[in-house]
Amino acid sequence: MASQSELRSPETGTESGGEAEYRMLPVPEALTLVLAQSHALPVVELPLAQVLGMVLGSDVLAPDPLPPFPASMKDGYAVVAGDGPGEYPLVGEVRAGGVADFTLEPGQVAYITTGAPLPPGADAVVMVEETSQFGRDGAPWVRIGATVDKGADVRAVGVDVAEGQVVLGRGTRLGPAELGILATVGQAVVPVHRRPVVGVLSTGDELVEPGAALGPGQIRDSNRAALLAAVAALGGEPLDLGIAGDEADALAAALQRGIAQADILLTSGGVSMGDLDLVKPLLARLGTVHFGRLLMKPGKPLTFATVATERAGVADQAAGGAADQGAEGAHRCLVFGLPGNPVSSMVTFLLLAVPAMRQLAGATNPHWPRVQAELAQPLRLDAYRPEFHRATLQWDVARNGGRGGFVATSTGIQASSRLLSMRTANGLLLLPVGEETLPAGAVVDALVIGEL
Ligand code: AMP
Ligand code: MG
């Protein structure tokens, strides 16, 4: 493995893989490059209870109709519609879960509950509110007070789901309603794209665990906690890779371990211009660096690489058969060298890594939803880089002459080190480059990154 001195003395005389070598890429261009490298993971079969939030790997068809029998929609009496209002003998009953052991003849009625199969011979239901029961010669009779059409209050076979119907298409993201649909068609085992295993590695000699006492020059590692949580919340399978120091060999080993185990590796720190910022040159050595600088604020040093490895001996290590993209034994990892500053790492993760995660998970639309919002206060634009300004988006019913609209309230000072600027932020305002200050009330586009 390369030593530190090797990494800092390349033939070119500049830092190998250093930030200065990379063209500053606009974010949309970078996202296109990332998505072109992000391929859906293989389809696996999982129990229904485990697939919430995952993406369906094939179409799901209904094997039988719903309802499978003509079912009553009401509690009341099964009748022959043509009989009309009048008094009729009660000849039987059928409750949900049972079946009639008789055939209804014209001039008879049968008690029926919601969801019960209509007895043979009956063709409509009269709800109980339109009826009254009485005795005649010791036998039960029913007074029917309403005229009903054939089929009234009866769910015909297959009205809700037809036999053979595609109830869910491949590529559908499975939410609670979709899980209900899978259950109703008997799909107890579901073909879904595997969740991406997302490794999170912090880098920096100054970092300690949150529970540790701070020594001189040390700070607590916040990026890993935030990124692991974000990965889990967004449907990835988080893999905690700990903290690596800034020593080249140890860092390289930690990177390689992560690359072998994860579909996506998120590192934070070590991608800026310092002499110990070794992540870029190490990635350039291990694989292909697609870009190393972004035209954005915050997050300029974001680096994206792909690394292909043979998985010899490592596949078994990755729990749950993780990471088996492509051919047998071959494995490909997407590596995001996120900046160290806490806000920069979160924002670049959201903008570039999350769409990649979604695409690996099989999503057909990997993008964040967008809304337009009115600024609650004036915001000064950046003269050089488009800014992703953290804001709280709220629906205000009084805006737009009572039609309502979103209002964006800035989270305050936007320093890339100030994680408090992400607190309660559910929007990233897309602020263009400019010399001016946008006035309060100006309408801007915003990515919706949290619950509205
Ligand atoms: P770097 O990109 O390594 O130069 O880091 C930039 C800044 O982010 C430095 O002030 C680091 O101390 C800080 N930083 C790096 N990693 C983390 C982390 N995991 N948690 C909190 N701060 C970090
Ligand atoms: Mg560092």
Side-chain angles (χ1 to χ4, degrees), residues 202-203 206-207 219-224 268-272 277 339-342:
S202 292
T203 76
E206 74 278 31
L207 301 176
I219 58 166
R220 298 186 189 93
D221 174 5
S222 61
N223 290 350
R224 201 157 38 102
S268 69
V271 285
S272 29
D277 288 329
N341 268 311

Side-chain angles (χ1 to χ4, degrees), residues 15-406:
E15 292 162 293
S16 170
E19 191 175 70
E21 284 185 9
Y22 294 100
R23 180 163 83 86
M24 190 119 79
L25 219 57
V27 171
E29 231 177 277
L31 185 55
T32 303
L33 283 176
V34 167
L35 292 178
Q37 298 294 329
S38 306
H39 312 300
L41 292 169
V43 174
V44 292
E45 305 246 306
L46 289 179
L48 181 57
Q50 291 176 22
V51 300
L52 180 63
M54 301 183 84
V55 178
L56 205 53
S58 57
D59 290 351
V60 171
L61 280 70
D64 38 37
L66 183 71
F69 47 82
S72 177
M73 294 170 71
K74 296 275 166 64
D75 295 317
Y77 293 91
V79 300
V80 177
D83 287 347
E87 294 173 350
Y88 302 98
L90 179 63
V91 298
E93 57 186 37
V94 52
R95 294 187 162 78
V99 285
D101 56 359
F102 57 89
T103 297
L104 198 76
E105 305 292 342
Q108 299 178 333
V109 301
Y111 180 69
I112 194 164
T113 67
T114 306
L118 214 60
D123 59 14
V125 170
V126 179
M127 62 179 170
V128 76
E129 292 88 334
E130 304 281 0
T131 69
S132 56
Q133 243 199 70
F134 61 98
R136 177 176 290 172
D137 305 329
W141 279 61
V142 179
R143 190 169 296 114
I144 299 291
T147 303
V148 293
D149 293 330
K150 222 171 151 167
D153 280 331
V154 176
R155 286 158 63 221
V157 171
V159 281
D160 295 327
V161 179
E163 183 177 346
Q165 182 185 347
V166 175
V167 289
L168 293 171
R170 178 182 167 193
T172 302
R173 187 164 181 276
L174 301 172
E178 288 73 23
L179 262 61
I181 292 168
L182 290 167
T184 210
V185 300
Q187 190 88 40
V189 175
V190 189
V192 284
H193 290 279
R194 185 165 73 63
R195 291 181 194 279
V197 174
V198 184
V200 180
L201 175 71
S202 292
T203 76
D205 286 335
E206 74 278 31
L207 301 176
V208 296
E209 295 288 345
L214 288 183
Q218 295 184 326
I219 58 166
R220 298 186 189 93
D221 174 5
S222 61
N223 290 350
R224 201 157 38 102
L227 291 168
L228 286 168
V231 166
L234 293 163
E237 209 172 284
L239 176 66
D240 187 349
L241 297 169
I243 300 170
D246 288 318
E247 193 273 315
D249 289 348
L251 183 56
L255 283 175
Q256 280 175 309
R257 265 197 309 278
I259 285 163
Q261 293 180 74
D263 300 301
I264 295 179
L265 173 61
L266 306 173
T267 66
S268 69
V271 285
S272 29
M273 299 291 273
D275 63 350
L276 288 180
D277 288 329
L278 299 172
V279 171
K280 278 188 173 80
L282 280 173
L283 290 176
R285 191 154 298 194
L286 293 170
T288 308
V289 175
H290 298 272
F291 54 83
R293 274 203 306 173
L294 284 189
L295 185 62
M296 67 180 288
K297 185 182 169 184
K300 188 171 68 161
L302 177 77
T303 299
F304 172 61
T306 47
V307 183
T309 54
E310 285 300 316
R311 286 187 66 81
V314 189
D316 306 334
Q317 245 169 271
D324 47 10
Q325 293 185 71
E328 201 184 54
H331 166 68
R332 211 162 142 274
C333 183
L334 309 181
V335 187
F336 293 86
L338 308 177
N341 268 311
V343 175
S344 310
S345 70
M346 279 307 279
V347 170
T348 51
F349 165 75
L350 293 169
L351 290 176
L352 282 310
V354 170
M357 246 175 81
R358 291 188 180 131
Q359 213 157 275
L360 259 61
T364 45
N365 175 11
H367 301 290
W368 290 104
R370 262 184 204 222
V371 297
Q372 293 195 314
E374 283 184 34
L375 297 181
Q377 67 267 91
L379 288 184
R380 199 199 162 98
L381 299 179
D382 187 274
Y384 305 101
R385 286 179 286 158
E387 186 185 350
F388 295 84
H389 192 109
R390 282 78 70 202
T392 306
L393 300 170
Q394 268 176 317
W395 184 258
D396 178 0
V397 290
R399 298 272 157 159
N400 298 317
R403 278 185 295 118
F406 283 108

